[in-house]
Amino acid sequence: MAGSSDSPRHKHKVTVVGSGNWGTTVAKLVAENTREHKDIFEEDVQMWVFEENVVVPSDSPHYDAAVGDKPQKLTSVINTHHENVKYLPKIQLPPNVVANPSLLDAVKDSSILIFNLPHEFIGNVCKQIKGHILPSARGISCIKGVTVTEDKVELISEYIGETLGIYCGALSGANIANEIANELWCETTIAYNTPPCDRRAENGAANNSAEGEHRDARGQVSKTKLTAVPDDYPPVSHAELYKLFDRPYFTVSMVSDVVGVSLAGALKNIVALACGFIEGHGWNMTAKTAVMRRGMLETIQFCQEFFPETIQEMTFWESAGWSDMIVSCTSARNWRYSKMAVERGVSLHEVERTELNGQKLQGISTTKEVMSFLKARGVQDKYPLFKAVEGIVDGDFKVEDIPVLFRQ
Amino acid sequence: MAGSSDSPRHKHKVTVVGSGNWGTTVAKLVAENTREHKDIFEEDVQMWVFEENVVVPSDSPHYDAAVGDKPQKLTSVINTHHENVKYLPKIQLPPNVVANPSLLDAVKDSSILIFNLPHEFIGNVCKQIKGHILPSARGISCIKGVTVTEDKVELISEYIGETLGIYCGALSGANIANEIANELWCETTIAYNTPPCDRRAENGAANNSAEGEHRDARGQVSKTKLTAVPDDYPPVSHAELYKLFDRPYFTVSMVSDVVGVSLAGALKNIVALACGFIEGHGWNMTAKTAVMRRGMLETIQFCQEFFPETIQEMTFWESAGWSDMIVSCTSARNWRYSKMAVERGVSLHEVERTELNGQKLQGISTTKEVMSFLKARGVQDKYPLFKAVEGIVDGDFKVEDIPVLFRQ
Ligand SMILES: NC(=O)c1ccc[n+]([C@@H]2O[C@H](COP(=O)([O-])OP(=O)(O)OC[C@H]3O[C@@H](n4cnc5c(N)ncnc54)[C@H](O)[C@@H]3O)[C@@H](O)[C@H]2O)c1
Ligand SMILES: NC(=O)c1ccc[n+]([C@@H]2O[C@H](COP(=O)([O-])OP(=O)(O)OC[C@H]3O[C@@H](n4cnc5c(N)ncnc54)[C@H](O)[C@@H]3O)[C@@H](O)[C@H]2O)c1
């Protein structure tokens, strides 16, 4: 039996699906780790690049007079100069990050798939690679947000897992790509609930559970039948994922609560809007922290009400919980523009129009979606802060009335 | 039996012991409430003032040409002009705040004592009033900090309670006196574990528990024998304290975990130093939130290790927990000067010398005291962040090594 030999024949091949600001940063740090853990991972990390033409500016060290202003393929610039000049300029990538313009070629034979691209593209990507990946592959989604409709809450990691028939965890935290690319220290949280069929007996060989059956993020027996990670691969469990992601400048905590990590990363956007309103109105840090903590309590309540089986309160103490909340309520877009709206005495929609070229603020759609889900269940009054944010966005509720929400 | 009549004969007389920046602010808001709840409280609120002479400046609306630059008693200025010109200038106090230079007269017959002065003065004040207060009085301490020695952790509320033979709770939160005096909204937390002898039967009359015996903040049967609040007074329980302190601009949460509230308010000073170090070193908000959450986890661990009987994890979600932590790590003295020290490449002691006229930073003494307590028990290694802060203060540990603490 292959897996019972001392050295597994296979190593994990890792692919990062996506190569924007965050995708390229994650490819960099993962590639640094695959080099350090050659016993577990193949050294080369594939990075799928949505191919486009780029012009290398003349003041770039990668400018080639012979090429001049002629557009070049982004993949070939990355593979030649080891820099993603468009999405992560001025950052040297390790040479074992291999840019690949072919999605199917990039994911072929990969046993670990890291999904990292704006969420609007994930559906299309999954459709394309379905049936073209290893059935025993495992995924990690770095995509923030969840899909909430009147009917249900769907985690992006669940969507990926169910579409591809694999297990997929989630990575989220107080993370700013450019800082991490510059190796400024921060933390992150990886939620990964190792499927039973992947749990190996102590002696390292046989799977100790029936293949296939596992529980989804809601704690229900999933319709997706999983293929176990074969015994001749190293296991994919917390220890290995830690080795793949943790860097001296990027401290990883492993948890198993995928729902908590994903929902904290999504609902914080509602709270960030509330904090912007508060500060725009002229209140200070003391008021803002009050709104943050009430927002966090509503977030936990939401998770416990709709995912009672799997939620763990300690998740909210992780980087994906409190840390991300604080950063999002202090410097991110939702906060900045909601503050601006109140300061100028205009609606958020007006700010979207004048400052964002009509582009939508994520926090507004999250608020609307979450409220429609709550209203469909008649429980919106149990979430006074979320409700107030919708009311302010719609012009039905005044910022100065926020404190009243919190009186007994 | 007096207490069984419909309207109790007595109302609570309230005294604020202390009249600095925070004491005067609390006197103002409490006096606003005693006016609104005349069924429970006497309208006049006594405020003990450590008497001193003040000169009212000529540009003050309270300047009196007839008096000129002649020093006047602070109490008489307060009682004439309803403004504490020295400690809370430009804030109109309600006329039912009565400044009293006599400590013993101010506390006489008061059934609710609010202690609010710098902690170095509390010992002397307690010694003076011991034996001169109602035996059934109840206290609330607004004084931040705890007294930690190698031998023990003593809460200020416990010290007050034991010295005076009364029960004393604690008020703490993300509170900045000047903001609250200006009626800028924030929240606070009041921890009050109603003594069993004060718990009345549903019909409002008889005490349902033996007088005297109660458990201290550690959950131990206390040596202090309490005198129950008499039946002809309104009870002193969460509902009444809420009425006494909650204002539209000052939202109160009531909890019973006095230890958690008090220790969170003290240990945050260690974390604030760490955050200053982090930012001084050039790391950003993402790194700072990592240190805050690790610091909060060590705070909880400390509370659970040494006060397992009474600690409630939810306390740290209160204003006295996370909110106060965030504010202290973003704008308070400990944070500001530790950041300055690292930016300038000098020790914190050097900053104390040059910037603070040799005055001590609270965070440094708290760190030293807590570490000596932990070392005496041989458990300092379980608190890597607290230990690192001491190491940095002493020059034995480098700021850039903080991330290493958090690796597995
Ligand atoms: N940037 C950050 O600091 C950061 C931090 C944490 C999480 N995230 C999350 O990471 C995810 C990716 O964010 P980002 O900042 O890297 O985005 P980005 O805007 O930098 O990346 C855009 C990417 O989308 C690709 N793309 C464009 N059109 C496409 C198409 N039609 N199909 C497929 N791909 C296409 C581009 O080639 C590019 O690689 C988001 O979910 C975001 O919330 C970002
Ligand atoms: N100021 C705030 O924003 C704030 C907020 C929350 C908690 N606190 C806490 O409240 C407590 C009081 O702080 P503060 O800011 O009001 O202090 P402060 O410096 O404004 O007050 C000093 C007070 O001490 C009195 N005093 C001076 N010498 C004295 C003596 N020998 N004996 C007795 N009293 C004497 C002065 O008359 C004055 O009333 C502290 O424990 C502080 O941590 C303060």
Side-chain angles (χ1 to χ4, degrees):
Chain A
M1 196 171 135
S4 53
S5 88
D6 275 349
S7 57
R9 285 180 317 176
H10 277 103
K11 297 173 181 186
H12 287 292
K13 182 181 164 196
V14 180
T15 297
V16 180
V17 179
S19 53
N21 193 226
W22 186 218
T24 310
T25 302
V26 168
K28 169 181 178 289
L29 65 89
V30 159
E32 289 165 358
N33 279 329
T34 56
R35 275 175 160 183
E36 286 185 14
H37 300 286
K38 293 194 190 130
D39 51 327
I40 309 178
F41 307 109
E42 284 185 21
E43 195 169 342
D44 278 357
V45 170
Q46 290 284 316
M47 176 169 82
W48 173 60
V49 174
F50 181 78
E51 188 69 289
E52 57 188 294
N53 287 322
V54 293
V55 174
V56 177
S58 58
D59 61 353
S60 159
H62 307 315
Y63 181 76
D64 180 346
V67 178
D69 278 358
K70 236 179 50 200
Q72 304 169 62
K73 299 256 175 256
L74 179 56
T75 47
S76 82
V77 175
I78 295 175
N79 288 333
T80 310
H81 300 295
H82 308 296
E83 183 180 317
N84 185 337
V85 292
K86 174 138 186 199
Y87 294 102
L88 194 65
K90 303 211 169 71
I91 298 296
Q92 179 74 28
L93 302 176
N96 57 327
V97 170
V98 180
N100 190 335
S102 161
L103 180 55
L104 294 196
D105 190 60
V107 299
K108 188 167 171 278
D109 295 333
S110 278
S111 46
I112 297 181
L113 301 169
I114 300 168
F115 296 91
N116 194 321
L117 67 183
H119 75 279
E120 57 267 37
F121 304 131
I122 189 67
N124 204 16
V125 160
C126 284
K127 263 181 225 131
Q128 289 180 62
I129 66 176
K130 187 180 170 161
H132 299 277
I133 58 170
L134 284 185
S136 63
R138 295 290 175 257
I140 295 289
S141 163
C142 303
I143 302 164
K144 288 232 170 130
V146 296
T147 313
V148 184
T149 58
E150 215 175 276
D151 299 334
K152 65 172 179 177
V153 174
E154 184 171 57
L155 313 184
I156 292 175
S157 57
E158 278 185 314
Y159 169 80
I160 295 171
E162 279 164 26
T163 308
L164 302 181
I166 64 174
Y167 176 78
C168 185
L171 179 153
S172 183
N175 298 143
I176 296 178
N178 286 327
E179 289 184 11
I180 298 163
N182 280 295
E183 306 194 358
L184 281 174
W185 173 61
C186 70
E187 292 188 306
T188 202
T189 313
I190 298 178
Y192 192 87
N193 195 2
T194 312
C197 62
D198 286 356
R199 289 201 197 110
R200 310 223 172 141
E202 283 294 89
N203 61 24
N207 293 318
N208 63 1
S209 152
E211 282 204 8
E213 194 162 277
H214 77 118
R215 288 178 185 274
D216 62 19
R218 290 163 172 74
Q220 314 292 316
V221 173
S222 170
K223 279 170 295 183
T224 313
K225 290 272 174 274
L226 298 183
T227 303
V229 173
D231 284 353
D232 53 358
Y233 274 92
V236 181
S237 62
H238 282 191
E240 288 72 27
L241 291 170
Y242 183 83
K243 286 188 181 133
L244 186 58
F245 286 97
D246 185 78
R247 294 296 299 156
Y249 56 84
F250 191 61
T251 303
V252 167
S253 285
M254 300 295 314
V255 303
S256 49
D257 177 5
V258 183
V259 172
V261 161
S262 305
L263 277 169
L267 301 184
K268 64 155 204 219
N269 289 324
I270 310 178
V271 186
L273 289 182
C275 285
F277 296 145
I278 284 283
E279 284 185 274
H281 186 71
W283 278 307
N284 291 336
M285 196 65 191
T286 52
K288 179 165 145 174
T289 57
V291 164
M292 273 196 247
R293 79 170 198 91
R294 297 282 182 159
M296 188 56 113
L297 291 174
E298 288 188 19
T299 300
I300 299 176
Q301 181 185 322
F302 186 97
C303 292
Q304 286 176 337
E305 179 157 5
F306 301 109
F307 300 90
E309 310 276 351
T310 54
I311 211 76
Q312 288 160 17
E313 204 179 291
M314 282 311 290
T315 304
F316 303 95
W317 292 97
E318 296 292 336
S319 181
W322 260 113
S323 305
D324 196 19
M325 175 71 87
I326 297 170
V327 169
S328 302
C329 293
T330 306
S331 54
R333 281 162 65 92
N334 290 303
W335 167 81
R336 193 161 47 245
Y337 290 110
S338 60
K339 181 163 172 279
M340 186 186 286
V342 178
E343 279 166 355
R344 294 188 182 170
V346 301
S347 74
L348 253 184
H349 297 300
E350 178 70 11
V351 167
E352 285 181 326
R353 210 174 55 74
T354 57
E355 304 298 316
L356 295 162
N357 276 315
Q359 209 193 322
K360 296 288 164 212
L361 271 182
Q362 173 112 53
I364 299 187
S365 47
T366 305
T367 306
K368 290 278 170 201
E369 288 162 14
V370 167
M371 285 307 295
S372 83
F373 178 85
L374 292 173
K375 284 176 194 163
R377 280 151 196 80
V379 293
Q380 69 273 25
D381 291 340
K382 288 164 66 184
Y383 297 85
L385 183 67
F386 293 175
K387 198 176 146 188
V389 171
E390 184 180 49
I392 294 168
V393 169
D394 290 347
D396 303 332
F397 190 86
K398 291 214 293 288
V399 176
E400 51 267 44
D401 290 336
I402 286 182
V404 177
L405 299 174
F406 302 142
R407 303 199 73 194
Q408 278 181 355
Chain B
M1 197 172 134
S4 54
S5 89
D6 274 347
S7 56
R9 284 181 316 175
H10 276 105
K11 298 175 182 185
H12 288 291
K13 181 182 165 196
V14 180
T15 298
V16 180
V17 179
S19 53
N21 192 225
W22 187 218
T24 310
T25 302
V26 168
K28 168 181 178 290
L29 66 89
V30 158
E32 289 164 0
N33 279 328
T34 56
R35 276 175 159 182
E36 286 185 14
H37 300 286
K38 293 194 190 129
D39 51 327
I40 308 179
F41 308 107
E42 284 185 21
E43 195 170 342
D44 278 357
V45 170
Q46 290 283 315
M47 177 171 80
W48 172 60
V49 175
F50 180 78
E51 187 70 289
E52 58 189 294
N53 287 322
V54 292
V55 174
V56 177
S58 59
D59 61 353
S60 161
H62 306 316
Y63 181 76
D64 180 346
V67 177
D69 277 357
K70 236 178 50 200
Q72 305 170 62
K73 299 256 176 255
L74 179 55
T75 47
S76 85
V77 175
I78 295 174
N79 288 333
T80 311
H81 300 296
H82 308 296
E83 182 181 319
N84 185 338
V85 292
K86 174 138 185 199
Y87 294 102
L88 194 65
K90 304 209 169 71
I91 299 295
Q92 180 74 28
L93 302 176
N96 57 327
V97 170
V98 180
N100 190 334
S102 160
L103 180 55
L104 295 196
D105 190 61
V107 298
K108 187 167 171 277
D109 295 332
S110 277
S111 46
I112 297 181
L113 301 169
I114 300 168
F115 295 91
N116 194 322
L117 67 181
H119 74 279
E120 58 267 36
F121 304 131
I122 189 67
N124 202 16
V125 160
C126 284
K127 261 180 227 130
Q128 289 180 61
I129 66 177
K130 186 177 172 161
H132 299 276
I133 59 170
L134 284 184
S136 64
R138 295 291 175 255
I140 295 288
S141 164
C142 303
I143 302 164
K144 287 234 171 128
V146 296
T147 312
V148 184
T149 58
E150 215 175 275
D151 298 334
K152 65 171 179 178
V153 174
E154 184 172 59
L155 312 184
I156 292 175
S157 57
E158 279 183 313
Y159 169 81
I160 296 170
E162 280 164 25
T163 309
L164 302 181
I166 64 174
Y167 177 78
C168 184
L171 179 154
S172 183
N175 299 143
I176 297 177
N178 286 327
E179 288 183 12
I180 298 163
N182 281 295
E183 307 193 359
L184 281 173
W185 173 60
C186 69
E187 292 187 306
T188 204
T189 313
I190 298 178
Y192 192 88
N193 195 2
T194 312
C197 61
D198 286 357
R199 288 202 196 108
R200 311 223 172 139
E202 284 294 89
N203 63 22
N207 294 319
N208 63 1
S209 152
E211 281 204 10
E213 193 162 278
H214 77 116
R215 289 177 183 274
D216 63 20
R218 290 161 172 74
Q220 315 291 315
V221 172
S222 169
K223 278 171 297 187
T224 314
K225 290 271 173 277
L226 297 183
T227 304
V229 173
D231 284 354
D232 53 358
Y233 274 92
V236 182
S237 62
H238 282 191
E240 288 71 26
L241 290 170
Y242 183 84
K243 286 188 180 132
L244 186 57
F245 286 97
D246 185 79
R247 294 295 301 156
Y249 56 85
F250 191 60
T251 303
V252 168
S253 285
M254 300 295 314
V255 302
S256 50
D257 177 5
V258 183
V259 173
V261 161
S262 304
L263 276 169
L267 301 185
K268 63 153 205 222
N269 288 325
I270 309 179
V271 186
L273 289 183
C275 285
F277 295 145
I278 284 283
E279 285 185 274
H281 185 71
W283 277 308
N284 291 336
M285 197 65 191
T286 53
K288 179 164 144 174
T289 56
V291 164
M292 273 196 247
R293 81 171 196 90
R294 297 283 182 158
M296 189 56 112
L297 290 174
E298 289 189 18
T299 300
I300 299 176
Q301 180 185 323
F302 186 96
C303 292
Q304 286 177 337
E305 180 158 5
F306 301 110
F307 300 90
E309 309 277 352
T310 53
I311 211 76
Q312 287 161 17
E313 204 179 289
M314 282 310 291
T315 304
F316 304 94
W317 291 98
E318 294 294 336
S319 182
W322 259 114
S323 305
D324 194 20
M325 174 72 85
I326 297 170
V327 170
S328 301
C329 292
T330 305
S331 55
R333 282 162 64 92
N334 291 301
W335 167 80
R336 194 162 46 244
Y337 290 111
S338 60
K339 181 163 173 282
M340 185 187 286
V342 177
E343 280 165 355
R344 295 187 181 171
V346 301
S347 74
L348 254 185
H349 297 301
E350 179 68 12
V351 166
E352 285 181 327
R353 211 174 53 75
T354 58
E355 303 299 316
L356 294 162
N357 276 317
Q359 208 192 323
K360 295 290 163 210
L361 271 181
Q362 173 112 54
I364 299 187
S365 48
T366 305
T367 305
K368 291 278 169 202
E369 288 162 15
V370 167
M371 285 306 295
S372 82
F373 178 85
L374 292 173
K375 284 177 194 163
R377 279 149 198 81
V379 294
Q380 69 273 28
D381 291 339
K382 288 163 66 184
Y383 297 84
L385 183 67
F386 292 176
K387 199 177 146 188
V389 171
E390 183 181 50
I392 294 168
V393 169
D394 290 346
D396 302 333
F397 189 86
K398 292 213 292 289
V399 176
E400 50 267 44
D401 291 336
I402 286 181
V404 177
L405 299 174
F406 302 142
R407 303 199 71 197
Q408 278 183 355

